Amino acid sequence: MAAVPGQDGRAPGQDERQARQAEELGQQAPQPVGRAGPVGEGLLAEFLGLAGLTFILSGCAAILARYGGHALQPWETVLVHAAVAALWLMVAVYFLGDISAHFNPAMTLAFVLRRDMGWVMAGCYWIVQFAAAASGSLLARAFFGPAGNLAATKPQPGQSWQAAGFEAVITFGLVLMALNLANGPKLNGPFVPLAVGAYTMAWVTMGGPFDGASMNPARSFGPDLALGNLSTWWVYLIGPVTGAVLAVGVAHMLRGPAKAREAVKAMGTPLDRRRS
């Protein structure tokens, strides 16, 4: 029986066959009609993931403060924030992980330093990530007001440098975990989102009462911008960046440089063409 062409004139399965052939030849597969291409898809995935993260965190904080009944103890509030952040990241990595799931400028920096992607691409990612984080928190404020400080992360008074050091430590672990998961086929495995969610839940629960346990410059930027107070944001920039740089060095000692397939998984431009 002859194959019936689709609406775009392609035979059923033609896109899949071309993609497999291109992969075997080490070439980029042609994009189906109407798709944004790998760059556009990656940027859109980053926007959805980070906007969702700051919207759910800022919205959760405001709703708890306004409609949650009696005031919660700080540790109870932190536990709720940790749970919603971990659950959202699990969901987002499950449905966006095969496209792009950095959701963190520090993670993108790590992929750049590991030569998974170029600086121009990373610059595009950073612009989208910070814009997404701001959009999520601003949308939450438009719905619910600034109650609960929109889940803004703040260091304890007089302990800004201690908070920056703590952020470096916990971001180091997060990035090292992600780089090891991205080193091979486990990136798209069924347990990757669980690992990301569990790590987030553990450290936000433990470190939240101290400084918010952000591990993410964009996650802290969104609520701070929505509140109009960026006075302590530098803590959540310096700390995670430092942790990401250290994690790249340790990952290189553990596993060596990234290979071409790993760069594709990071949605960047492969600079090391060796096959894994």
Side-chain angles (χ1 to χ4, degrees), residues 5-31:
Q7 293 181 352
D8 59 358
R10 295 173 179 265
Q14 183 176 350
D15 291 336
E16 290 77 6
R17 289 195 298 272
Q18 289 179 343
R20 286 196 299 270
Q21 292 170 358
E23 183 178 359
E24 292 172 358
L25 296 173
Q27 300 172 347
Q28 183 177 1
Q31 293 296 317

PDB file of all heavy atoms in Angstrom, residues 5-31:
ATOM      1  N   PRO A   5       0.680  10.984   1.721  1.00  0.00           N
ATOM      2  CA  PRO A   5       1.407  12.163   2.194  1.00  0.00           C
ATOM      3  C   PRO A   5       0.593  12.933   3.211  1.00  0.00           C
ATOM      4  O   PRO A   5      -0.636  12.918   3.196  1.00  0.00           O
ATOM      5  CB  PRO A   5       1.619  12.990   0.911  1.00  0.00           C
ATOM      6  CG  PRO A   5       1.393  12.024  -0.221  1.00  0.00           C
ATOM      7  CD  PRO A   5       0.407  11.029   0.287  1.00  0.00           C
ATOM      8  N   GLY A   6       1.302  13.642   4.131  1.00  0.00           N
ATOM      9  CA  GLY A   6       0.640  14.495   5.109  1.00  0.00           C
ATOM     10  C   GLY A   6       0.270  15.823   4.502  1.00  0.00           C
ATOM     11  O   GLY A   6       0.421  16.060   3.294  1.00  0.00           O
ATOM     12  N   GLN A   7      -0.212  16.736   5.329  1.00  0.00           N
ATOM     13  CA  GLN A   7      -0.650  18.040   4.850  1.00  0.00           C
ATOM     14  C   GLN A   7       0.502  18.846   4.260  1.00  0.00           C
ATOM     15  O   GLN A   7       0.291  19.697   3.405  1.00  0.00           O
ATOM     16  CB  GLN A   7      -1.291  18.820   5.996  1.00  0.00           C
ATOM     17  CG  GLN A   7      -2.593  18.209   6.461  1.00  0.00           C
ATOM     18  CD  GLN A   7      -3.223  19.014   7.577  1.00  0.00           C
ATOM     19  OE1 GLN A   7      -2.625  19.943   8.096  1.00  0.00           O
ATOM     20  NE2 GLN A   7      -4.441  18.655   7.929  1.00  0.00           N
ATOM     21  N   ASP A   8       1.747  18.610   4.723  1.00  0.00           N
ATOM     22  CA  ASP A   8       2.878  19.362   4.196  1.00  0.00           C
ATOM     23  C   ASP A   8       3.548  18.648   3.029  1.00  0.00           C
ATOM     24  O   ASP A   8       4.624  19.036   2.578  1.00  0.00           O
ATOM     25  CB  ASP A   8       3.915  19.621   5.294  1.00  0.00           C
ATOM     26  CG  ASP A   8       4.433  18.322   5.905  1.00  0.00           C
ATOM     27  OD1 ASP A   8       3.949  17.245   5.487  1.00  0.00           O
ATOM     28  OD2 ASP A   8       5.328  18.406   6.782  1.00  0.00           O
ATOM     29  N   GLY A   9       2.913  17.551   2.522  1.00  0.00           N
ATOM     30  CA  GLY A   9       3.447  16.855   1.371  1.00  0.00           C
ATOM     31  C   GLY A   9       4.467  15.790   1.718  1.00  0.00           C
ATOM     32  O   GLY A   9       4.982  15.117   0.830  1.00  0.00           O
ATOM     33  N   ARG A  10       4.774  15.582   2.987  1.00  0.00           N
ATOM     34  CA  ARG A  10       5.761  14.598   3.407  1.00  0.00           C
ATOM     35  C   ARG A  10       5.078  13.258   3.657  1.00  0.00           C
ATOM     36  O   ARG A  10       3.967  13.208   4.157  1.00  0.00           O
ATOM     37  CB  ARG A  10       6.477  15.043   4.689  1.00  0.00           C
ATOM     38  CG  ARG A  10       7.308  16.294   4.507  1.00  0.00           C
ATOM     39  CD  ARG A  10       7.836  16.767   5.851  1.00  0.00           C
ATOM     40  NE  ARG A  10       8.668  17.949   5.721  1.00  0.00           N
ATOM     41  CZ  ARG A  10       9.987  17.920   5.625  1.00  0.00           C
ATOM     42  NH1 ARG A  10      10.621  16.758   5.661  1.00  0.00           N
ATOM     43  NH2 ARG A  10      10.686  19.034   5.496  1.00  0.00           N
ATOM     44  N   ALA A  11       5.788  12.206   3.327  1.00  0.00           N
ATOM     45  CA  ALA A  11       5.270  10.878   3.624  1.00  0.00           C
ATOM     46  C   ALA A  11       5.382  10.613   5.109  1.00  0.00           C
ATOM     47  O   ALA A  11       6.291  11.144   5.762  1.00  0.00           O
ATOM     48  CB  ALA A  11       6.046   9.820   2.835  1.00  0.00           C
ATOM     49  N   PRO A  12       4.492   9.817   5.677  1.00  0.00           N
ATOM     50  CA  PRO A  12       4.575   9.511   7.109  1.00  0.00           C
ATOM     51  C   PRO A  12       5.931   8.891   7.445  1.00  0.00           C
ATOM     52  O   PRO A  12       6.418   7.997   6.760  1.00  0.00           O
ATOM     53  CB  PRO A  12       3.433   8.515   7.325  1.00  0.00           C
ATOM     54  CG  PRO A  12       2.476   8.793   6.217  1.00  0.00           C
ATOM     55  CD  PRO A  12       3.303   9.201   5.039  1.00  0.00           C
ATOM     56  N   GLY A  13       6.558   9.381   8.507  1.00  0.00           N
ATOM     57  CA  GLY A  13       7.845   8.862   8.937  1.00  0.00           C
ATOM     58  C   GLY A  13       9.037   9.475   8.243  1.00  0.00           C
ATOM     59  O   GLY A  13      10.179   9.148   8.556  1.00  0.00           O
ATOM     60  N   GLN A  14       8.798  10.377   7.255  1.00  0.00           N
ATOM     61  CA  GLN A  14       9.910  10.955   6.511  1.00  0.00           C
ATOM     62  C   GLN A  14      10.814  11.769   7.413  1.00  0.00           C
ATOM     63  O   GLN A  14      12.045  11.706   7.308  1.00  0.00           O
ATOM     64  CB  GLN A  14       9.370  11.825   5.371  1.00  0.00           C
ATOM     65  CG  GLN A  14      10.492  12.424   4.496  1.00  0.00           C
ATOM     66  CD  GLN A  14       9.928  13.193   3.318  1.00  0.00           C
ATOM     67  OE1 GLN A  14       8.731  13.128   3.042  1.00  0.00           O
ATOM     68  NE2 GLN A  14      10.785  13.913   2.608  1.00  0.00           N
ATOM     69  N   ASP A  15      10.222  12.579   8.322  1.00  0.00           N
ATOM     70  CA  ASP A  15      11.024  13.390   9.237  1.00  0.00           C
ATOM     71  C   ASP A  15      11.916  12.524  10.112  1.00  0.00           C
ATOM     72  O   ASP A  15      13.086  12.825  10.335  1.00  0.00           O
ATOM     73  CB  ASP A  15      10.126  14.259  10.119  1.00  0.00           C
ATOM     74  CG  ASP A  15       9.440  15.350   9.321  1.00  0.00           C
ATOM     75  OD1 ASP A  15       9.978  15.720   8.252  1.00  0.00           O
ATOM     76  OD2 ASP A  15       8.369  15.819   9.766  1.00  0.00           O
ATOM     77  N   GLU A  16      11.343  11.409  10.616  1.00  0.00           N
ATOM     78  CA  GLU A  16      12.111  10.531  11.485  1.00  0.00           C
ATOM     79  C   GLU A  16      13.267   9.886  10.738  1.00  0.00           C
ATOM     80  O   GLU A  16      14.383   9.771  11.262  1.00  0.00           O
ATOM     81  CB  GLU A  16      11.201   9.454  12.087  1.00  0.00           C
ATOM     82  CG  GLU A  16      10.198   9.984  13.125  1.00  0.00           C
ATOM     83  CD  GLU A  16       9.021  10.702  12.499  1.00  0.00           C
ATOM     84  OE1 GLU A  16       8.909  10.708  11.253  1.00  0.00           O
ATOM     85  OE2 GLU A  16       8.200  11.247  13.258  1.00  0.00           O
ATOM     86  N   ARG A  17      13.007   9.448   9.481  1.00  0.00           N
ATOM     87  CA  ARG A  17      14.077   8.814   8.703  1.00  0.00           C
ATOM     88  C   ARG A  17      15.198   9.801   8.416  1.00  0.00           C
ATOM     89  O   ARG A  17      16.378   9.471   8.507  1.00  0.00           O
ATOM     90  CB  ARG A  17      13.506   8.258   7.391  1.00  0.00           C
ATOM     91  CG  ARG A  17      12.621   7.034   7.576  1.00  0.00           C
ATOM     92  CD  ARG A  17      12.399   6.339   6.251  1.00  0.00           C
ATOM     93  NE  ARG A  17      11.713   7.203   5.290  1.00  0.00           N
ATOM     94  CZ  ARG A  17      10.393   7.302   5.194  1.00  0.00           C
ATOM     95  NH1 ARG A  17       9.612   6.591   6.011  1.00  0.00           N
ATOM     96  NH2 ARG A  17       9.838   8.090   4.292  1.00  0.00           N
ATOM     97  N   GLN A  18      14.822  11.052   8.058  1.00  0.00           N
ATOM     98  CA  GLN A  18      15.839  12.059   7.776  1.00  0.00           C
ATOM     99  C   GLN A  18      16.646  12.385   9.022  1.00  0.00           C
ATOM    100  O   GLN A  18      17.856  12.597   8.954  1.00  0.00           O
ATOM    101  CB  GLN A  18      15.177  13.325   7.227  1.00  0.00           C
ATOM    102  CG  GLN A  18      14.636  13.164   5.820  1.00  0.00           C
ATOM    103  CD  GLN A  18      13.973  14.428   5.313  1.00  0.00           C
ATOM    104  OE1 GLN A  18      13.643  15.316   6.104  1.00  0.00           O
ATOM    105  NE2 GLN A  18      13.778  14.525   4.007  1.00  0.00           N
ATOM    106  N   ALA A  19      15.979  12.421  10.167  1.00  0.00           N
ATOM    107  CA  ALA A  19      16.687  12.718  11.410  1.00  0.00           C
ATOM    108  C   ALA A  19      17.694  11.633  11.732  1.00  0.00           C
ATOM    109  O   ALA A  19      18.826  11.911  12.141  1.00  0.00           O
ATOM    110  CB  ALA A  19      15.687  12.877  12.555  1.00  0.00           C
ATOM    111  N   ARG A  20      17.279  10.346  11.548  1.00  0.00           N
ATOM    112  CA  ARG A  20      18.202   9.245  11.818  1.00  0.00           C
ATOM    113  C   ARG A  20      19.386   9.274  10.863  1.00  0.00           C
ATOM    114  O   ARG A  20      20.527   9.053  11.258  1.00  0.00           O
ATOM    115  CB  ARG A  20      17.458   7.912  11.717  1.00  0.00           C
ATOM    116  CG  ARG A  20      16.536   7.620  12.895  1.00  0.00           C
ATOM    117  CD  ARG A  20      16.145   6.155  12.915  1.00  0.00           C
ATOM    118  NE  ARG A  20      15.411   5.769  11.704  1.00  0.00           N
ATOM    119  CZ  ARG A  20      14.087   5.823  11.573  1.00  0.00           C
ATOM    120  NH1 ARG A  20      13.343   6.262  12.574  1.00  0.00           N
ATOM    121  NH2 ARG A  20      13.509   5.451  10.461  1.00  0.00           N
ATOM    122  N   GLN A  21      19.114   9.548   9.558  1.00  0.00           N
ATOM    123  CA  GLN A  21      20.198   9.605   8.594  1.00  0.00           C
ATOM    124  C   GLN A  21      21.168  10.735   8.913  1.00  0.00           C
ATOM    125  O   GLN A  21      22.384  10.579   8.812  1.00  0.00           O
ATOM    126  CB  GLN A  21      19.618   9.776   7.181  1.00  0.00           C
ATOM    127  CG  GLN A  21      18.858   8.559   6.685  1.00  0.00           C
ATOM    128  CD  GLN A  21      18.098   8.840   5.407  1.00  0.00           C
ATOM    129  OE1 GLN A  21      18.113   9.964   4.901  1.00  0.00           O
ATOM    130  NE2 GLN A  21      17.434   7.822   4.875  1.00  0.00           N
ATOM    131  N   ALA A  22      20.621  11.883   9.311  1.00  0.00           N
ATOM    132  CA  ALA A  22      21.474  13.021   9.639  1.00  0.00           C
ATOM    133  C   ALA A  22      22.322  12.736  10.862  1.00  0.00           C
ATOM    134  O   ALA A  22      23.498  13.122  10.929  1.00  0.00           O
ATOM    135  CB  ALA A  22      20.620  14.272   9.870  1.00  0.00           C
ATOM    136  N   GLU A  23      21.743  12.044  11.848  1.00  0.00           N
ATOM    137  CA  GLU A  23      22.503  11.716  13.054  1.00  0.00           C
ATOM    138  C   GLU A  23      23.655  10.787  12.722  1.00  0.00           C
ATOM    139  O   GLU A  23      24.762  10.925  13.229  1.00  0.00           O
ATOM    140  CB  GLU A  23      21.593  11.074  14.090  1.00  0.00           C
ATOM    141  CG  GLU A  23      22.308  10.763  15.400  1.00  0.00           C
ATOM    142  CD  GLU A  23      21.377  10.170  16.434  1.00  0.00           C
ATOM    143  OE1 GLU A  23      20.181  10.020  16.114  1.00  0.00           O
ATOM    144  OE2 GLU A  23      21.860   9.855  17.522  1.00  0.00           O
ATOM    145  N   GLU A  24      23.391   9.793  11.810  1.00  0.00           N
ATOM    146  CA  GLU A  24      24.442   8.869  11.426  1.00  0.00           C
ATOM    147  C   GLU A  24      25.572   9.576  10.696  1.00  0.00           C
ATOM    148  O   GLU A  24      26.742   9.201  10.816  1.00  0.00           O
ATOM    149  CB  GLU A  24      23.856   7.771  10.541  1.00  0.00           C
ATOM    150  CG  GLU A  24      22.891   6.838  11.280  1.00  0.00           C
ATOM    151  CD  GLU A  24      22.192   5.889  10.332  1.00  0.00           C
ATOM    152  OE1 GLU A  24      22.443   5.999   9.102  1.00  0.00           O
ATOM    153  OE2 GLU A  24      21.403   5.043  10.808  1.00  0.00           O
ATOM    154  N   LEU A  25      25.248  10.624   9.925  1.00  0.00           N
ATOM    155  CA  LEU A  25      26.252  11.370   9.180  1.00  0.00           C
ATOM    156  C   LEU A  25      26.858  12.507   9.972  1.00  0.00           C
ATOM    157  O   LEU A  25      27.739  13.215   9.485  1.00  0.00           O
ATOM    158  CB  LEU A  25      25.628  11.943   7.894  1.00  0.00           C
ATOM    159  CG  LEU A  25      25.137  10.903   6.871  1.00  0.00           C
ATOM    160  CD1 LEU A  25      24.398  11.594   5.744  1.00  0.00           C
ATOM    161  CD2 LEU A  25      26.307  10.086   6.335  1.00  0.00           C
ATOM    162  N   GLY A  26      26.375  12.705  11.217  1.00  0.00           N
ATOM    163  CA  GLY A  26      26.895  13.787  12.040  1.00  0.00           C
ATOM    164  C   GLY A  26      26.407  15.148  11.603  1.00  0.00           C
ATOM    165  O   GLY A  26      27.064  16.168  11.835  1.00  0.00           O
ATOM    166  N   GLN A  27      25.255  15.197  10.905  1.00  0.00           N
ATOM    167  CA  GLN A  27      24.712  16.441  10.407  1.00  0.00           C
ATOM    168  C   GLN A  27      23.477  16.819  11.201  1.00  0.00           C
ATOM    169  O   GLN A  27      22.898  16.004  11.911  1.00  0.00           O
ATOM    170  CB  GLN A  27      24.342  16.308   8.918  1.00  0.00           C
ATOM    171  CG  GLN A  27      25.534  15.958   8.029  1.00  0.00           C
ATOM    172  CD  GLN A  27      25.093  15.659   6.613  1.00  0.00           C
ATOM    173  OE1 GLN A  27      23.902  15.483   6.352  1.00  0.00           O
ATOM    174  NE2 GLN A  27      26.045  15.604   5.697  1.00  0.00           N
ATOM    175  N   GLN A  28      23.060  18.091  11.038  1.00  0.00           N
ATOM    176  CA  GLN A  28      21.839  18.560  11.683  1.00  0.00           C
ATOM    177  C   GLN A  28      20.639  18.157  10.848  1.00  0.00           C
ATOM    178  O   GLN A  28      20.613  18.375   9.632  1.00  0.00           O
ATOM    179  CB  GLN A  28      21.871  20.081  11.842  1.00  0.00           C
ATOM    180  CG  GLN A  28      20.664  20.615  12.579  1.00  0.00           C
ATOM    181  CD  GLN A  28      20.758  22.111  12.772  1.00  0.00           C
ATOM    182  OE1 GLN A  28      21.709  22.739  12.333  1.00  0.00           O
ATOM    183  NE2 GLN A  28      19.771  22.673  13.414  1.00  0.00           N
ATOM    184  N   ALA A  29      19.658  17.556  11.453  1.00  0.00           N
ATOM    185  CA  ALA A  29      18.468  17.114  10.742  1.00  0.00           C
ATOM    186  C   ALA A  29      17.638  18.298  10.292  1.00  0.00           C
ATOM    187  O   ALA A  29      17.568  19.314  10.971  1.00  0.00           O
ATOM    188  CB  ALA A  29      17.625  16.208  11.644  1.00  0.00           C
ATOM    189  N   PRO A  30      16.981  18.198   9.091  1.00  0.00           N
ATOM    190  CA  PRO A  30      16.089  19.274   8.657  1.00  0.00           C
ATOM    191  C   PRO A  30      14.913  19.421   9.600  1.00  0.00           C
ATOM    192  O   PRO A  30      14.404  18.436  10.128  1.00  0.00           O
ATOM    193  CB  PRO A  30      15.640  18.814   7.264  1.00  0.00           C
ATOM    194  CG  PRO A  30      15.833  17.325   7.266  1.00  0.00           C
ATOM    195  CD  PRO A  30      17.012  17.073   8.137  1.00  0.00           C
ATOM    196  N   GLN A  31      14.490  20.649   9.820  1.00  0.00           N
ATOM    197  CA  GLN A  31      13.392  20.905  10.749  1.00  0.00           C
ATOM    198  C   GLN A  31      12.049  20.748  10.062  1.00  0.00           C
ATOM    199  O   GLN A  31      11.862  21.221   8.935  1.00  0.00           O
ATOM    200  CB  GLN A  31      13.498  22.333  11.307  1.00  0.00           C
ATOM    201  CG  GLN A  31      14.697  22.549  12.204  1.00  0.00           C
ATOM    202  CD  GLN A  31      14.611  21.697  13.445  1.00  0.00           C
ATOM    203  OE1 GLN A  31      13.565  21.573  14.061  1.00  0.00           O
ATOM    204  NE2 GLN A  31      15.717  21.074  13.798  1.00  0.00           N
TER     205      GLN A  31
END
